[in-house]
Amino acid sequence: MPTPLLEVHNLNVRYANEAGSLHAVRGLSFSLQAGETLALVGESGSGKSATATAIMGLQPDSARVEGSIRLHGEQLVGADDATLSLLRGKTMAMVFQDPLSAMTPVYTVGEQLMETIQIHASGSLNDTRAQAIELLDLVGIPEPHQRINAYPHEFSGGMRQRVLIAMAIANNPDVIIADEPTTALDVTIQAQVLDVLQTVCEKTNAALLLITHDLGVVARVADRAMVMYAGKIVEQGRVNDLFYNSQMPYTMGLLGSLPRMGNARTTTLSAIKGNPPSLLTPPTGCAFSSRCPMADSMCFEHEPSLIKVSEPEHWSACVHHDIIKRESITHVDLFQSKTIEGRTIAPVTSSPDKNVKVLEMSCVKKHYPLYKGGVFRRRVGTVYAVDGIDLTIYQGETLGLVGESGCGKSTTTLSILDLKPPTHGTISLFGDEVRTLDSKQRRLALRRKLQIVFQDPMSSLDPRMSVFDLIAEPLRVFNYSAEDMAARVNDLLQLVGLDASYVARFAQQLSGGQSQRVCIARALALEPQLLILDEPVSALDVSIRAGIVNLLHELKLSLGLSYLFVAHDLALIKHIADRVAVMYLGKIVETGTVDAVYEHPRHPYTQCLLSAMPIADPKLERSRVRQIPIGELPSPASPPKGCHFHTRCPKKTTLTSAQQRLCVEVSPDLKPVQFLPVKSTQELPVYDKHLGTETHYDRTTETTPVHTAACHYSQ
């Protein structure tokens, strides 16, 4: 085999703190060839980012790095900063997770990109600027001659990430380290960024070390993958081996905890119980033994080393790999439980009561004035955050609301939570219209029935309050007695799967999954009927996420809750929701039952979202033909005329000039799409004025069509 570009052998990284020495990376070894993409996956705290910073020499002063890191045979461990500075950006480069914090806000994008080039190369200012423009064009920045003079805050998140990639490849490095480069991005932008990374690596033959927790991304771009747990590699090999022939229970747990597009909605997710061990005192045996269903006395005695389990290069750190292979054990055998905290799990599907509406939004618009100037302020425009939407949620139903960042999802939820009249239209909660709430008591009474669970559990909890006080806070507002409050808090903790010992803990003493369970318990304290879930699991690791999703489903069925579930993970929405509404630039562009929308998407934007979503199946993911929206999301302050999506629609080029003109000039309304024949004794032929055809509708959907789309050519 050719000599590797990067060789890491027995790497150990320790951080000193007041609690002792934290052993973040423990004996890590791997190599990376030219043109290869190697993925490093694992939960938060497993040591992935510590590995990246050690290779780049960017670790803090408190870190102690031991072992060997060789780049083109040159030893990097122990090298001084001056030596590493000559290599960083020239021979090796890094793309960070948060592009906004990685760029200087007071310099233009062009100045920062030109500086990256000038540090390692000589040339005139004009030549450097021309090279910077060429790089921006390569990574897909529109109008690079103009955007080179823009500041980072004037770019969207996806465009900022592309600028970071342009900086990383400016000097044609041999090794690129990408640390969660797509975590904070929408699926459409994520697909574009991954395409850019792959294109760049193909053109320059650079090696890519991709650090991620998204197994769908791994399935799409990686050649090999390493699974990291508690600072060590527990399984590694070719991507197909890890996905289709896992020999380590932890890898199986990660794969089983993902909602799959092809799975039946009646199946529950496989959740890994417990939490990773503290690396302040690493366990003597297998680090995963306390969470592993296969663990026995052998697992607790000594820590297993990587053993080759199959050719050509599949390695696993499990003493029971022979049993797993011989008996063909899968994640379903190990982790798929039929109970949650002792309660039997009901089927995922549910039957909402269509006679009771808990939320009804009709022609709702939420516009914000846009001002300019300081002393003499003047209105210069309007932000059309929500621009005429209709939503209905029935009792016991979960409605999924999906769309890119900036499309109006959060404004929609805030419009409901504020209990204030919208700019236009009506919002009715539990039969009461918001405009009629003329007293504080009526608003307070309504808030008991409506609660929210936010995206980041740690920022949702006051660090100065104990778990008991956090959950009891809404009870105090409604004057519960001390005895009733204590009993209610204990009941809620048991309901969300936490024992009574947690009442005295503080937020900083909880894991991410435990914190989100406390947030859910607090939201349920007043026995609400409608929960708004705003990205409730996106900040959690996949293993913790599965347990929370299963819990939300069980609570919905046992308590008769209704959910408005806001998310960008379309696979998760398919798993948990009954109906889905797709939002784009303040408007609902498609809505219907989950099965109808996912199996027969009729709006080009919905098709793009489903196409861009990564799937944790290498064979399927690499054989798909994608439709990616063109360019960036327009500003809600100046939305395009006609169909808002026509500026990005990949199908527009297939239309005639007359059809394109209709898209540009006329805004389409939501209308029923062609139904498949309904096999029912109650089916009723109806002439559809929108379609001009006779179709069959079930009697229950005669007045409320199950699938609508806002596209002139959805048929």
Side-chain angles (χ1 to χ4, degrees), residues 547-569:
I548 296 296
V549 171
N550 288 341
L551 173 66
L552 287 171
H553 160 67
E554 178 62 20
L555 292 175
K556 170 190 169 183
L557 296 183
S558 60
L559 302 178
L561 298 172
S562 301
Y563 292 152
L564 175 59
F565 204 111
V566 180
H568 66 267
D569 187 339

Side-chain angles (χ1 to χ4, degrees), residues 234 236 247 304-310 313-321:
V234 295
Q236 67 179 27
Q247 301 293 305
S305 301
L306 283 170
I307 302 171
K308 180 175 279 191
V309 294
S310 66
E313 45 183 323
H314 189 183
W315 301 72
S316 172
C318 180
V319 296
H320 298 304
H321 67 88

Side-chain angles (χ1 to χ4, degrees), residues 325-568:
K325 187 175 183 179
R326 183 175 64 250
E327 299 183 8
S328 301
I329 295 175
T330 67
H331 67 85
V332 176
D333 304 315
L334 295 181
F335 296 102
Q336 192 142 20
S337 175
K338 298 301 180 184
T339 61
I340 297 178
E341 305 301 331
R343 301 188 303 274
T344 301
I345 300 177
V348 174
T349 54
S350 58
S351 299
D353 186 352
K354 294 295 184 72
N355 296 318
V356 181
K357 297 179 181 179
V358 297
L359 171 67
E360 187 173 15
M361 304 177 71
S362 178
C363 300
V364 171
K365 297 182 181 180
K366 197 70 174 179
H367 298 167
Y368 298 97
L370 191 62
Y371 292 100
K372 187 176 183 181
V375 178
F376 302 103
R377 296 182 70 199
R378 64 187 187 278
R379 183 168 179 172
V380 295
T382 302
V383 176
Y384 302 92
V386 176
D387 198 25
I389 66 171
D390 299 288
L391 287 178
T392 302
I393 301 179
Y394 299 96
Q395 183 177 307
E397 181 183 46
T398 298
L399 174 66
L401 186 60
V402 300
E404 294 173 289
S405 299
C407 70
K409 303 190 303 295
S410 295
T411 304
T412 301
T413 60
L414 291 175
S415 298
I416 301 169
L417 290 167
D418 283 348
L419 297 184
K420 296 177 182 177
T423 307
H424 182 272
T426 60
I427 300 176
S428 296
L429 287 162
F430 315 105
D432 290 329
E433 188 179 336
V434 170
R435 291 184 185 275
T436 65
L437 300 179
D438 52 0
S439 67
K440 182 178 179 181
Q441 289 74 17
R442 292 188 66 188
R443 290 180 182 274
L444 196 61
L446 198 56
R447 287 194 184 279
R448 294 194 63 158
K449 303 178 182 180
L450 175 67
Q451 293 293 321
I452 186 169
V453 178
F454 291 100
Q455 176 177 0
D456 186 358
M458 297 307 294
S459 64
S460 302
L461 302 177
D462 191 330
R464 299 168 298 178
M465 298 173 67
S466 67
V467 167
F468 180 89
D469 291 330
L470 288 167
I471 298 176
E473 186 177 19
L475 301 174
R476 289 193 180 96
V477 174
F478 286 87
N479 302 317
Y480 275 59
S481 66
E483 294 79 9
D484 291 342
M485 201 180 300
R488 181 63 176 156
V489 169
N490 286 332
D491 290 343
L492 289 166
L493 285 174
Q494 184 179 4
L495 188 66
V496 298
L498 299 175
D499 59 57
S501 64
Y502 283 86
V503 294
R505 299 191 188 185
F506 290 85
Q508 57 269 29
Q509 297 173 302
L510 304 174
S511 68
Q514 292 167 349
S515 300
Q516 196 62 292
R517 286 172 184 260
V518 171
C519 290
I520 294 171
R522 181 175 61 181
L524 296 174
L526 297 172
E527 301 182 358
Q529 298 177 33
L530 173 62
L531 272 187
I532 296 178
L533 304 165
D534 188 4
E535 301 276 9
V537 296
S538 63
L540 305 177
D541 289 308
V542 289
S543 60
I544 307 300
R545 184 186 309 175
I548 296 296
V549 171
N550 288 341
L551 173 66
L552 287 171
H553 160 67
E554 178 62 20
L555 292 175
K556 170 190 169 183
L557 296 183
S558 60
L559 302 178
L561 298 172
S562 301
Y563 292 152
L564 175 59
F565 204 111
V566 180
H568 66 267

Side-chain angles (χ1 to χ4, degrees), residues 158-306:
M159 291 176 68
R160 284 194 291 265
Q161 195 65 282
R162 295 187 206 187
V163 172
L164 277 191
I165 295 174
M167 291 182 181
I169 66 173
N171 297 290
N172 294 324
D174 297 321
V175 176
I176 299 174
I177 301 175
D179 187 5
E180 301 278 8
T182 61
T183 297
L185 304 178
D186 295 304
V187 289
T188 53
I189 307 302
Q190 173 180 271
Q192 295 173 7
V193 169
L194 290 175
D195 286 343
V196 169
L197 274 174
Q198 286 184 291
T199 301
V200 164
C201 291
E202 289 173 2
K203 289 187 175 182
T204 63
N205 200 33
L208 177 63
L209 176 60
L210 178 64
I211 297 173
T212 183
H213 67 268
D214 190 332
L215 293 171
V217 172
V218 175
R220 177 176 175 182
V221 303
D223 301 306
R224 291 189 296 127
M226 302 185 298
V227 181
M228 200 169 187
Y229 185 80
K232 293 183 72 72
I233 299 299
V234 295
E235 187 167 8
Q236 67 179 27
R238 297 186 181 276
V239 167
N240 284 3
D241 290 333
L242 263 65
F243 277 83
Y244 303 128
N245 190 29
S246 301
Q247 301 293 305
M248 170 65 191
Y250 177 61
T251 310
M252 295 182 190
L254 289 181
L255 292 169
S257 62
L258 296 172
R260 304 293 183 94
M261 293 292 291
N263 284 4
R265 296 182 61 238
T266 55
T267 60
T268 57
L269 300 180
S270 301
I272 304 176
K273 296 182 179 180
N275 298 291
S278 171
L279 293 180
L280 288 170
T281 55
T284 55
C286 173
F288 189 61
S289 57
S290 62
R291 306 174 70 189
C292 181
M294 293 189 68
D296 57 19
S297 58
M298 294 175 55
C299 302
F300 292 94
E301 291 174 359
H302 66 277
E303 191 165 35
S305 301
L306 283 170

